[in-house]
């Protein structure tokens, strides 16, 4: 044993007395030494799989020894997010081993809420993304044999890579099914008499939807609790976990891991995210939740929701079987979890007064133009610029991939346009070009309306009559165009809804592509138009997410039921006490 160190972090909460020994065993990686004393506890990751790289915590670490074995951390602060795991990589590359012998069990902990856990998961996902891109992981992969490579994958970045692949599989499945429906392939298969109808595959997909919900993943937990406390207790614990929406929580965290890991692989630009050590019995405002989860969950959840709606609308007219509902039920669950989980696990999430205050605060944040020294928590513009900072330092490969991924919305628009009644089943490419012409005209009208509003604010009240005449002419022109489209060209109400569903994602794709060219466009009129268009999208997205919260806030005793159902008794008592104290403080201020 080359070196060892004993220690306990001062601020840890002592569970029971323990001594922690961390050592690096020298020698070639094929050297196995089994003559250990019975007192030593040999861990599975070290002695069997030989893939233990991390030692636990940075305060319990022999720094001087590992400096001689390649160093502790990287020189770049960007990739040094997973504390000092690179020290374990360096020691392993030099044919060393990382062991961890436990004699005293020590634990530390602090109160954590939904937002703190999400920040921690984001930090870990970003760190694993930087590990995936590092030379250390590449060199380890080149030197390991096949079996040790498998252990290395599943004990380091494999979990986050699998999470990203799981989410990407949902996108590939939905866009594939949308293509099959909109192209007419599914209709031809189901209605053509010459094609032999077989529902075997559809029934197999319906039955495996139970697996998609992750119910098999709970079997190890049920078996462990059943062996220790009895299977009746295990079944009761499982039911309580489902009533407390544990599945919603872990599905939401899946989106956190996939988003930050994938974005780090594409663009890099990781940064440390402090999780905080404050008291968590407090209500997070709607603006706070929107800032945290807008890009990672809300945008993706709405996209999946729109794809599911389009798949059901354009496919249900000729589909007789309802087994497809079982096939897509896990995706409906995924989309709703990503959209509403932060509010379900938010104390006072459905309190009416809190909801009113949240709406006022969110409108103030969205409308604040900002200024010098204004933080992103006070202005939407500064938050929007900060949210796109990762594209500023991205390389050419990352930007090209971002643009290619944004083109999926244009393909989606292409499929829906040809199903509108106004096209009269015309399949010419000119129809798609006319749809783009209509989209460009809409953007020009919105820009003109914005410029008119700005000039009205600058000029004052002397030209109010002229501006009102312009608004009236604009309304009459819009009414005339819509009348011609309805009467002459056969436009229908369903076409209007289809146009909204089709053009909204295309506008978002234009915003994503423009953001990749931020360096070239910043400071121009075009960039200001992109910013205002993005603000309009944020308003619409916020309204869609906020509407169910308002409805649940109208329901009597919804907030109390949420608190009792999702939180334990001590936490619920804390909420009630904080409510009483807040009432006394409000009464004191009024006096």
């Amino acid at each position: 044993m080359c070196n060892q160190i004993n220690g306990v972090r001062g601020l840890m909460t002592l569970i029971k007395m323990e001594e922690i020994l961390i050592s690096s065993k020298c020698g070639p990686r094929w050297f196995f030494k089994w003559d250990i004393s019975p007192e030593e506890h040999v861990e599975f990751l070290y002695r069997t799989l030989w893939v233990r790289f991390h030692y636990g915590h940075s305060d319990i670490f022999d720094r001087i020894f590992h400096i001689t074995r390649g160093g502790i951390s990287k020189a770049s602060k960007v990739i040094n997010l997973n504390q000092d795991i690179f020290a374990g990589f360096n020691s392993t590359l030099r044919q060393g081993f990382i062991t961890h012998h436990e004699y005293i069990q020590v634990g530390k902990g602090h109160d954590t809420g939904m937002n703190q856990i999400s920040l921690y998961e984001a930090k870990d996902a970003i760190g694993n993304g930087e590990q995936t891109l590092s030379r250390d992981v590449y060199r380890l992969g080149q030197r390991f044999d096949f079996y040790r490579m498998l252990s290395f994958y599943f004990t380091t970045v494999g979990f986050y890579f699998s999470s990203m692949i799981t989410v990407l599989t949902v996108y590939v499945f939905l866009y594939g099914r949308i293509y099959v429906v909109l192209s007419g392939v599914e209709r031809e298969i189901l209605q053509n008499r010459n094609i032999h109808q077989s529902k075997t595959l559809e029934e197999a997909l319906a039955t495996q939807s139970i697996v998609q919900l992750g119910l098999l993943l709970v079997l190890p937990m049920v078996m462990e609790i059943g062996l220790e406390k009895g299977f009746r207790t295990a079944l009761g614990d499982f039911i309580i976990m489902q009533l407390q929406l544990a599945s919603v929580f872990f599905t939401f965290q899946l989106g956190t891991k996939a988003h930050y890991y994938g974005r780090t692989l594409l663009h890099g630009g990781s940064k440390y995210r402090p999780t905080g050590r404050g008291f968590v019995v407090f209500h997070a405002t709607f603006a706070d939740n929107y800032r945290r989860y807008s890009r990672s969950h809300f945008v993706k959840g709405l996209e999946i929701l729109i794809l599911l709606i389009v798949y059901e609308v354009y496919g249900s007219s000729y589909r007789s079987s309802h087994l497809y509902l079982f096939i897509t039920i896990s995706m409906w669950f995924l989309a709703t979890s990503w959209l509403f989980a932060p509010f379900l696990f938010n104390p006072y999430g459905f309190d009416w007064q809190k909801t009113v205050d949240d709406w006022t605060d969110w409108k103030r944040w969205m409308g604040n133009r900002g200024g010098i020294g204004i933080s992103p928590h006070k202005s939407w513009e500064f938050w929007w610029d900060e949210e796109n900072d990762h594209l500023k330092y991205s390389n050419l490969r990352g930007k090209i991939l971002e643009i290619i991924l944004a083109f999926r919305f244009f393909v989606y628009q292409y499929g829906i346009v040809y199903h509108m009644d106004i096209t009269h089943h015309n399949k010419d490419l000119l129809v798609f070009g006319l749809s783009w012409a209509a989209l460009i005209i809409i953007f020009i009208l919105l820009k003109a309306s914005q410029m008119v509003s700005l000039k009205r604010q600058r000029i004052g009240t002397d030209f109010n009559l002229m501006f009102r005449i312009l608004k009236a002419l604009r309304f009459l022109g819009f009414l005339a165009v819509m009348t011609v489209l309805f009467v002459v060209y056969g436009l229908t109400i369903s076409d209007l809804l289809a146009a909204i569903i089709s053009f909204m994602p295309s506008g978002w794709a234009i915003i994503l592509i423009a953001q990749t060219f931020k360096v070239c466009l910043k400071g121009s009129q075009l960039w200001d138009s992109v910013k205002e268009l993005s603000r309009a999208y944020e308003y619409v997205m916020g309204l869609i997410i906020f509407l169910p919260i308002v409805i649940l806030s109208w329901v009597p005793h919804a907030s109390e039921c949420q608190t009792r159902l999702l939180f334990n008794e001590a936490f619920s008592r804390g909420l009630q006490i904080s409510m009483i104290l807040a009432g006394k403080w409000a009464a004191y201020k009024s006096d």
Side-chain angles (χ1 to χ4, degrees):
M1 185 174 295
C2 294
N3 210 333
Q4 62 185 18
I5 182 171
N6 305 333
V8 176
R9 191 183 182 205
L11 296 180
M12 288 184 177
T13 304
L14 188 59
I15 306 298
K16 61 181 180 178
M17 297 302 295
E18 178 186 49
E19 178 186 10
I20 296 181
L21 286 173
I22 299 169
S23 61
S24 294
K25 191 174 292 295
C26 297
R29 65 184 176 94
W30 45 263
F31 176 73
F32 291 88
K33 183 181 178 182
W34 295 103
D35 54 337
I36 58 175
S37 60
E39 291 80 14
E40 291 186 352
H41 173 69
V42 182
E43 291 191 355
F44 180 74
L45 292 179
Y46 157 59
R47 184 59 78 176
T48 305
L49 299 180
W50 302 96
V51 287
R52 182 177 182 86
F53 305 108
H54 201 263
Y55 45 83
H57 198 277
S58 56
D59 292 346
I60 314 173
F61 191 63
D62 194 343
R63 178 175 176 270
I64 297 176
F65 171 76
H66 281 281
I67 287 178
T68 65
R69 305 290 292 174
I72 296 177
S73 304
K74 293 299 176 182
S76 173
K77 66 178 181 180
V78 176
I79 66 174
N80 186 24
L81 286 180
N82 284 35
Q83 294 183 352
D84 299 322
I85 192 172
F86 288 103
F89 289 163
N90 290 329
S91 296
T92 307
L93 283 170
R94 287 159 177 79
Q95 297 185 351
F97 300 128
I98 305 298
T99 65
H100 188 171
H101 303 282
E102 298 180 358
Y103 296 96
I104 304 174
Q105 184 174 353
V106 174
K108 74 165 185 175
H110 57 84
D111 293 335
T112 54
M114 179 77 173
N115 295 334
Q116 285 83 2
I117 295 174
S118 297
L119 288 173
Y120 177 77
E121 293 286 358
K123 182 175 66 173
D124 277 356
I126 292 172
N128 278 271
E130 293 293 349
Q131 287 181 41
T132 307
L133 299 175
S134 66
R135 296 173 180 173
D136 303 74
V137 172
Y138 172 76
R139 290 168 179 167
L140 287 170
Q142 292 292 315
R143 287 159 175 79
F144 282 165
D145 55 69
F146 176 74
Y147 298 102
R148 197 175 181 189
M149 173 74 75
L150 293 178
S151 303
F152 171 68
Y153 171 78
F154 283 102
T155 53
T156 51
V157 299
F159 172 69
Y160 292 90
F161 185 77
S162 300
S163 300
M164 183 185 68
I165 293 299
T166 301
V167 176
L168 289 179
T169 303
V170 174
Y171 278 92
V172 172
F173 176 81
L174 281 177
Y175 275 101
R177 299 290 290 195
I178 287 292
Y179 168 76
V180 170
V181 169
L182 296 180
S183 63
V185 175
E186 189 177 45
R187 180 191 295 271
E188 182 67 21
I189 292 174
L190 294 178
Q191 293 185 350
N192 194 340
R193 297 179 179 179
N194 296 325
I195 299 176
H196 177 67
Q197 298 292 328
S198 177
K199 296 183 179 181
T200 305
L201 178 60
E202 193 173 8
E203 292 174 354
L205 291 174
T207 55
Q208 63 91 32
S209 62
I210 300 177
V211 181
Q212 289 180 356
L213 291 174
L215 296 180
L216 291 180
L217 298 177
V218 304
L219 288 180
M221 180 202 69
V222 173
M223 293 299 296
E224 181 180 357
I225 299 177
L227 292 175
E228 293 179 355
K229 301 180 180 179
F231 287 98
R232 181 181 299 178
T233 304
L235 183 61
D237 290 345
F238 172 73
I239 295 175
I240 291 174
M241 288 180 185
Q242 299 310 310
L243 291 176
Q244 292 178 341
L245 303 182
S247 300
V248 175
F249 177 83
F250 288 108
T251 303
F252 185 84
Q253 297 304 331
L254 172 68
T256 303
K257 300 182 185 74
H259 170 76
Y260 286 101
Y261 181 78
R263 194 174 75 173
T264 305
L265 291 182
L266 277 180
H267 308 292
S270 61
K271 62 180 180 180
Y272 179 78
R273 297 173 181 269
T275 57
R277 297 294 187 269
F279 191 54
V280 298
V281 186
F282 67 92
H283 172 79
T285 63
F286 180 79
D288 288 337
N289 286 327
Y290 190 86
R291 284 190 293 267
R292 288 189 179 97
Y293 308 118
S294 174
R295 296 299 182 266
S296 60
H297 294 84
F298 295 158
V299 172
K300 295 179 174 60
L302 284 174
E303 180 183 355
I304 294 175
L305 201 63
I306 290 175
L307 292 176
L308 289 169
I309 292 173
V310 171
Y311 174 65
E312 184 174 353
V313 169
Y314 287 95
S316 61
S317 59
Y318 54 86
R319 191 187 294 116
S320 59
S321 175
H322 296 285
L323 292 176
Y324 73 96
L325 290 176
F326 294 97
I327 299 174
T328 58
I329 189 172
S330 60
M331 299 172 193
W332 285 98
F333 182 77
L334 177 71
T336 53
S337 298
W338 284 4
L339 289 175
F340 304 111
F343 312 105
L344 290 175
F345 294 98
N346 188 20
Y348 302 125
F350 305 130
D351 182 75
W352 176 250
Q353 187 58 45
K354 293 288 185 182
T355 303
V356 174
D357 295 339
D358 287 352
W359 175 251
T360 305
D361 177 68
W362 185 71
K363 286 199 304 181
R364 187 187 305 114
W365 175 70
M366 287 291 299
N368 191 357
R369 297 285 174 175
I372 299 176
I374 300 298
S375 65
H377 297 278
K378 301 295 183 180
S379 171
W380 173 86
E381 287 189 5
F382 280 83
W383 170 81
W384 190 67
D385 291 333
E386 186 184 66
E387 195 67 25
N388 300 324
D389 278 345
H390 64 280
L391 295 172
K392 186 189 303 182
Y393 308 103
S394 179
N395 54 17
L396 183 61
R397 174 186 59 85
K399 292 182 178 180
I400 292 175
L401 288 175
E402 188 75 23
I403 294 173
I404 293 174
L405 291 175
F407 266 85
R408 69 185 186 272
F409 296 110
F410 299 146
V411 178
Y412 162 83
Q413 174 192 346
Y414 178 83
I416 293 182
V417 163
Y418 288 99
H419 284 74
M420 298 174 65
D421 296 331
I422 195 174
T423 62
H424 302 292
H425 305 288
N426 190 352
K427 303 300 181 183
D428 293 338
L429 193 61
L430 180 62
V431 175
F432 186 63
L434 290 175
S435 69
W436 268 101
L439 185 62
I440 293 172
I441 291 173
I442 292 173
F443 287 155
I444 292 175
L445 292 176
L446 291 175
K447 181 61 179 177
S449 176
Q450 176 192 356
M451 293 178 63
V452 168
S453 299
L454 290 176
K455 288 185 177 294
R456 180 179 180 181
Q457 294 175 2
R458 294 175 182 176
I459 294 176
T461 58
D462 298 334
F463 297 89
N464 276 339
L465 179 61
M466 182 183 68
F467 284 115
R468 289 180 180 177
I469 293 174
L470 289 175
K471 290 177 66 175
L473 291 176
R474 185 180 62 187
F475 175 75
L476 292 176
F478 173 77
L479 191 62
V481 170
M482 296 304 296
T483 303
V484 171
L485 290 176
F486 272 100
V487 176
V488 178
Y489 294 99
L491 185 70
T492 60
I493 300 298
S494 62
D495 286 346
L496 287 178
L497 297 176
I500 294 173
I501 296 177
S502 174
F503 292 154
M504 289 292 285
S506 298
W508 185 255
I510 294 173
I511 294 174
L512 294 178
I513 295 174
Q515 288 173 356
T516 59
F517 297 99
K518 178 181 179 181
V519 179
C520 303
L521 299 178
K522 192 172 184 180
S524 62
Q525 289 290 334
L526 185 58
W527 181 251
D528 294 336
S529 301
V530 171
K531 183 180 292 186
E532 292 304 320
L533 181 62
S534 181
R535 188 195 298 270
Y537 271 85
E538 303 283 358
Y539 268 118
V540 173
M541 186 163 56
L543 286 173
I544 293 174
I545 299 172
F546 199 78
L547 183 60
I549 300 174
V550 174
I551 295 175
L552 289 175
S553 299
W554 280 340
V555 177
H557 306 292
S559 181
E560 290 81 359
C561 293
Q562 175 210 17
T563 302
R564 292 290 184 182
L565 183 64
L566 298 181
F567 304 107
N568 57 41
E569 185 177 353
F571 195 90
S572 303
R573 264 200 318 270
L575 286 178
Q576 299 298 327
I577 293 173
S578 63
M579 186 186 301
I580 294 172
L581 294 177
K584 289 185 177 180
W585 176 247
Y588 174 76
K589 290 194 296 183
S590 63
D591 292 341

